[in-house]
Amino acid sequence: MSFNGGCSGVVNPSDRRGGTLRLATAAAVDSLDPARTYYVWGWMLQRLLQRTVMAYPAAPGTTRLVPDLASEPGSPSRGGTVWRYALRRGIRFADGTPVTAADVKYAIERLFAQDVLAGGPTYLIDLLDDPGAPYPGPFRDPDGLRTIEVPDEQTIVFHLRKPFPDFDHLMAMPVTAPVPRHADAGARYGDAPVSTGPYRVAQHEPGRHLLLERNPWWGADSLRRALPDRIDVSIGLDRNDIDDGVIAGRFHLNLEGRGVQLRTQQRLAAAPELLANADNPATGFLHYIAIQPQVPPFGNIHARRAVHYAADRTALLEARGGPIYGGDIATTLLPPTLAGHRADDRYPAGPHGDLAAARAELARAGLPDGFDTVIATQPGKFRGVADALARSLARVGIRVEVQELDVSRYYREELGRPATVRSRGLGLAVTDWGADFPAAYGFAAPLVDGRLIKPFGGNHNFAELNDPRINALIDRAQSEPEPLQRAGIWQEIDRAVMEHAVILPLTHDRTLHYRHESATNVYVHAAFGVYDIQGVGVRAPQGGEECSTKD
């Protein structure tokens, strides 16, 4: 074992089957419904529970797509507006029912019922729906979506409104996991979804505990090793307690993947034998402050720009873990891991902020004495960032009240619901974001494409930015076949977003993960920036009981 061994290779390779993989998380899994989940650790669980049309391989260092339910990648035609997939035969649900193309079609149709199933990514709505006659989903229109055809039980054909060269990436999202219509419980389906992957839900107490057991109807596939017999997830624990539990061996990994807390970072840095069990990858995540123009006084662009200039970037980086474990100071939207990133700084303020420039912006806003606002945050490192920003802004008279919100509701029902943001006056919010798929569109579109704003919750365009120029540039980028030209358009989009001053970039993240030495086949997945639990196994216990959550 060695520090960063899981960033480029597999730590503790083993073929041993059996045992219980024990995971922990502070936050509740947003949903086990493949149409609703959007947290990265929710997608990691989906890789255990479900098969999707396409998938990312169970291996480090690659984001290359491979077929999963499909027998080969999609076949585009008609200028990239028609995509056809042939599905494998012999795949069954955990209740023994054969999987057909109609089950995949129905699963995607459920996504359109945003009034019932809000929360997940909605790219397919934008590509497949008719804006003049929106499809309301299968609960209100059982006749189905006309832009998806199933000419036979093993073939599915998508008719897109516009070309989308990354469509195979969308087919790797959980929403393409088949759902049997006979078992759909609507908003309650996530309590016990019907699996197609190697595991099924054995017990589920939302917000407290999840136990997965083997799915007897799963037929071995080339993507999943399925080594443990059971996967036991403890939910809602204190983040420092999770760190202590993984180091002590009560858990194998932290499922959430947000990295160890600052106290634990210091502990690992002082103990080389512990640091050898850690990985510090560049995750591709942007940690940032969302600034809400719908909440006064941030409808005034100069008030937003004052926040940019007053922010002490060094203090904010230290709150994330410093330059070694926290990442690099960010001044752009797109991270360095994606084509389209370029070094730029629309609001140059030095390492500790430019207070004169901030005060000048406040004067332009008609607020020379500052103003009061609220910043939304979560416990842990998010809270540290909120406090650091509050101290930064206080230097120019911006008085910030820090509000810790419920972790399990943070995105879908609090920060992610525009009506809640406005009613609670959440002018600022601490958040982070990683690409839905490894391309500039998969990173930026949910944050800045006004056509993807979701009023029912689970929204990620927190500023409700809906600039026709930016929307048009996004369409132009997606229709540009030349990668270098496409990257140049994304650079233009990045600059246009920063002009609005609705996103204050903090860090292009590095995250310090810790793995217990009894976990096998551990690696950081390049597409997600976290440990890929679908490949992880456990060592045989030596002279005692295997890793237990009990003291």
Side-chain angles (χ1 to χ4, degrees):
M1 291 181 290
S2 63
F3 177 61
N4 273 343
C7 292
S8 57
V10 178
V11 176
N12 293 335
S14 172
D15 293 324
R16 178 185 181 264
R17 291 172 61 86
T20 299
L21 176 64
R22 300 191 184 276
L23 308 172
T25 175
V29 180
D30 56 347
S31 181
L32 293 180
D33 187 328
R36 305 189 74 179
T37 181
Y38 218 155
Y39 288 1
V40 67
W41 59 97
W43 287 22
M44 294 295 98
L45 288 172
Q46 292 292 327
R47 285 164 68 81
L48 296 165
L49 291 167
Q50 305 293 353
R51 299 187 66 171
T52 48
V53 175
M54 299 290 289
Y56 298 101
T62 179
T63 58
R64 174 183 54 89
L65 285 162
V66 293
D68 190 1
L69 288 174
S71 58
E72 58 187 16
S75 174
S77 61
R78 299 183 189 175
T81 61
V82 176
W83 287 73
R84 176 183 295 265
Y85 294 85
L87 305 185
R88 303 179 193 272
R89 298 182 182 275
I91 298 174
R92 292 180 179 269
F93 288 105
D95 63 4
T97 307
V99 172
T100 69
D103 298 312
V104 176
K105 180 176 189 283
Y106 178 72
I108 294 172
E109 288 172 341
R110 296 174 77 249
L111 178 66
F112 288 72
Q114 284 291 297
D115 56 335
V116 179
L117 302 177
T122 57
Y123 300 99
L124 290 171
I125 295 177
D126 183 52
L127 289 171
L128 296 171
D129 209 3
D130 178 359
Y135 174 63
F139 308 126
R140 287 196 281 150
D141 184 356
D143 291 339
L145 189 62
R146 290 190 294 273
T147 49
I148 304 179
E149 293 182 308
V150 284
D152 58 58
E153 289 191 346
Q154 307 307 132
T155 306
I156 187 165
V157 183
F158 299 91
H159 296 266
L160 280 55
R161 292 196 301 113
K162 54 190 175 184
F164 194 84
D166 296 316
F167 196 71
D168 270 344
H169 283 287
L170 302 189
M171 292 294 102
M173 290 183 173
V175 68
T176 70
V179 173
R181 188 187 293 262
H182 69 267
D184 189 4
R188 298 296 305 275
Y189 183 70
D191 293 348
V194 184
S195 299
T196 51
Y199 296 94
R200 63 183 180 184
V201 175
Q203 298 174 21
H204 186 199
E205 299 175 67
R208 296 188 61 190
H209 180 244
L210 175 68
L211 179 66
L212 308 183
E213 64 183 8
R214 291 194 182 277
N215 171 9
W217 286 99
W218 173 67
D221 64 73
S222 60
L223 295 177
R224 298 166 180 84
R225 304 186 74 173
L227 296 177
D229 290 330
R230 293 166 302 280
I231 297 172
D232 191 298
V233 186
S234 297
I235 302 170
L237 306 184
D238 177 83
R239 286 187 167 90
N240 284 305
D241 290 345
I242 293 174
D243 290 353
D244 294 343
V246 178
I247 292 173
R250 294 192 297 275
F251 308 111
H252 294 98
L253 299 171
N254 181 340
L255 169 63
E256 197 172 346
R258 291 193 181 276
V260 300
Q261 300 305 297
L262 296 179
R263 185 193 72 176
T264 307
Q265 288 183 7
Q266 295 164 359
R267 180 180 176 185
L268 298 183
E273 70 280 8
L274 294 179
L275 193 61
N277 295 324
D279 298 290
N280 187 214
T283 65
F285 273 68
L286 172 71
H287 197 83
Y288 70 99
I289 302 296
I291 306 176
Q292 317 286 5
Q294 311 303 326
V295 176
F298 291 121
N300 187 309
I301 192 171
H302 298 292
R304 303 197 297 270
R305 288 176 174 171
V307 172
H308 279 256
Y309 283 117
D312 184 331
R313 294 175 177 176
T314 301
L316 290 162
L317 176 58
E318 287 298 327
R320 289 291 300 158
I324 297 177
Y325 300 134
D328 301 311
I329 289 176
T331 56
T332 60
L333 176 68
L334 293 172
T337 53
L338 295 177
H341 169 82
R342 71 188 291 268
D344 197 10
D345 190 352
R346 172 59 183 81
Y347 305 100
H352 298 291
D354 184 335
L355 303 189
R359 292 189 181 101
E361 292 291 346
L362 287 173
R364 293 186 185 101
L367 299 164
D369 297 324
F371 55 87
D372 297 300
T373 191
V374 175
I375 185 168
T377 190
Q378 302 180 28
K381 286 186 285 186
F382 271 39
R383 175 59 192 255
V385 168
D387 290 338
L389 184 63
R391 290 191 294 269
S392 292
L393 301 187
R395 299 179 299 171
V396 295
I398 301 175
R399 298 166 293 279
V400 179
E401 176 191 340
V402 178
Q403 285 190 10
E404 281 191 11
L405 304 184
D406 186 300
V407 173
S408 64
R409 296 162 49 91
Y410 193 66
Y411 291 110
R412 180 184 296 161
E413 299 176 35
E414 303 277 8
L415 183 58
R417 191 186 295 270
T420 302
V421 169
R422 299 182 195 196
S423 66
R424 297 186 62 167
L426 305 178
L428 303 169
V430 184
T431 185
D432 60 4
W433 181 253
D436 285 340
F437 53 88
Y441 185 95
F443 181 90
L447 305 183
V448 302
D449 189 332
R451 297 160 297 185
L452 299 182
I453 295 171
K454 298 179 283 188
F456 297 108
N459 183 50
H460 290 276
N461 186 338
F462 303 128
E464 299 177 61
L465 181 61
N466 193 9
D467 182 336
R469 175 172 174 259
I470 291 174
N471 296 344
L473 283 170
I474 291 171
D475 289 343
R476 184 176 145 210
Q478 285 307 99
S479 63
E480 171 56 60
E482 171 54 47
L484 286 178
Q485 295 294 327
R486 190 159 63 244
I489 298 169
W490 280 107
Q491 290 172 3
E492 189 175 352
I493 293 168
D494 198 324
R495 289 193 295 270
V497 171
M498 294 307 297
E499 280 294 323
H500 284 277
V502 296
I503 289 175
L504 169 60
L506 301 181
T507 60
H508 293 306
D509 268 8
R510 288 187 175 273
T511 301
L512 188 63
H513 302 294
Y514 189 85
R515 41 180 158 80
H516 190 263
E517 59 187 10
S518 61
T520 65
N521 299 305
V522 184
Y523 58 88
V524 176
H525 201 290
F528 302 101
V530 299
Y531 290 136
D532 186 6
I533 57 171
Q534 113 175 326
V536 177
V538 297
R539 281 183 178 167
Q542 297 179 352
E545 303 230 345
E546 67 178 53
C547 175
S548 171
T549 57
K550 303 210 179 350
D551 291 322

